Amino acid sequence: MVHSLDIDVVIFDDELSPSQQSYLEKAVGEPVKIIDRTALILDIFGLHAKTREGRLQVQLAQLQYLLPRLRGMWSHLAKEQTRGGIGSRFGQGESQLEVDRRLIRNKISALRKQLRLVEKRRGVQSKDRLESSAFRVALAGYTNAGKSTLLNRLTGADVFTQDKLFATLDPTTRAYALPGGRLITVTDTVGFIQKLPHGLVEAFKSTLSEVLNADLILKVVDISDDDWIRQMDAVESVLSEIGAGDKLSVTVFNKVDLLDPIELGILKSRYSDSIFFSALTGEGIDSLTSRIANEASASDTVLSATIPYKEAALISLIREQGQVVHEEFLGEGVRLIARVPSRIAPRIERYITE
């Protein structure tokens, strides 16, 4: 078939071992390339990586994938920035194989050091968000489910969106004021996919940590896709793999504007605990924000406290993160009756009044 149809590239929808790939290449003969699912995904990631962290993560995953598949002819890596084009870089021959492997290992080691520095900076940013006491929402879901469009709809962000796989590789966090004024953070994350290569999970662990640090995960589903049930299962599988399977989550169905009203009614009755909306048109967004607000306030505590005027930062925090029911200015400070998140309640305890 390959020869009769003049095929250039054969892609397998599974991961091939290095020996399988080698045997298949010999069977079809040069110059036909044999590429597996992982190589194709890495190629797409290589094309879409824009930030420094994204490029480093993709390079690391590519090199880890390529190391056991070396055939020689890799000495050019000492001078070249590896980014994409996996399918076109498989050389033939065994000369300098050990030299080539050493070059790859050295490059992998250098990339890991650079990523540790980037992860350290990300850790500082994440720590700042953790200490801010803001309720954290992460958008997780299959690639092209509309997560970036939802972030833009909610927060007015200008995150790049396009109808293609893995348009987003780098997490973006934006502040958002819920109805009532409570500030939360919403984070857009890299899209998941069925049979996600383990190397990608490892390389993107700092990115995926945004999901682990969230208080609430919105599992975004493209309800207009014919394969949405399998995509839901794939998302659940990846969340379990990264240790986020038991975190508080809500399944939210996007792109309802593309459904027949009768079909939509049937799905709403079947998934009564989920939210149905369209990030593109705004339909159902009010229901989504109300659900987020309910989840954010589920563990709130009502407190009455008199905060000294010198604690202006704490007063501002209560106003931003809580809901003030009563406010009175006294000689010794501001008396507040407020519903506040449980995580900031300990900071107010010493000022609590009867």
Side-chain angles (χ1 to χ4, degrees), residues 337-351:
I337 299 176
R339 179 185 295 274
V340 298
S342 57
R343 72 177 64 180
I344 70 171
R347 299 172 61 177
I348 310 170
E349 282 181 351
R350 56 180 171 161
Y351 301 119

Side-chain angles (χ1 to χ4, degrees), residues 147-331:
K147 299 181 295 298
S148 298
T149 305
L150 175 57
L151 179 71
N152 291 343
R153 167 67 64 175
L154 287 175
T155 68
D158 57 354
V159 176
F160 174 74
T161 61
Q162 192 166 334
D163 184 14
K164 65 180 182 180
L165 301 181
F166 304 114
T168 301
L169 288 185
D170 306 290
T172 302
T173 300
R174 293 289 184 270
Y176 174 62
L178 290 168
R182 181 173 185 166
L183 285 177
I184 66 170
T185 63
V186 184
T187 301
D188 182 21
T189 63
V190 62
F192 299 159
I193 195 169
Q194 294 173 33
K195 297 184 285 186
L196 186 69
H198 180 75
L200 282 181
V201 176
E202 175 65 23
F204 280 74
K205 62 184 179 182
S206 65
T207 298
L208 294 171
S209 68
E210 297 291 340
V211 178
L212 285 170
N213 290 332
D215 297 302
L216 172 66
I217 300 174
L218 294 184
K219 294 184 285 192
V220 185
V221 180
D222 177 2
I223 195 64
S224 70
D225 195 294
D226 293 337
D227 203 26
W228 63 269
I229 294 178
R230 287 180 60 192
Q231 292 179 1
M232 282 180 62
D233 294 339
V235 171
E236 294 290 351
S237 176
V238 175
L239 288 175
S240 296
E241 184 176 352
I242 66 174
D246 295 329
K247 292 189 72 69
L248 177 65
S249 64
V250 176
T251 300
V252 295
F253 292 100
N254 188 20
K255 306 186 185 181
V256 298
D257 53 305
L258 301 178
L259 289 188
D260 176 85
I262 296 176
E263 183 183 5
L264 178 58
I266 294 172
L267 289 170
K268 283 184 175 180
S269 63
R270 183 183 303 173
Y271 297 93
S272 57
D273 194 45
S274 299
I275 302 296
F276 292 78
F277 69 98
S278 169
L280 185 64
T281 67
E283 178 185 350
I285 290 294
D286 289 344
S287 297
L288 177 61
T289 55
S290 295
R291 179 63 178 272
I292 296 173
N294 289 339
E295 298 293 347
S297 63
S299 61
D300 285 357
T301 303
V302 177
L303 296 175
S304 174
T306 301
I307 315 293
Y309 290 110
K310 65 179 182 180
E311 294 280 11
L314 183 56
I315 296 171
S316 296
L317 181 64
I318 294 172
R319 289 170 177 161
E320 288 179 0
Q321 300 300 327
Q323 182 178 4
V324 177
V325 179
H326 175 76
E327 186 174 53
E328 184 180 355
F329 294 89
L330 305 175

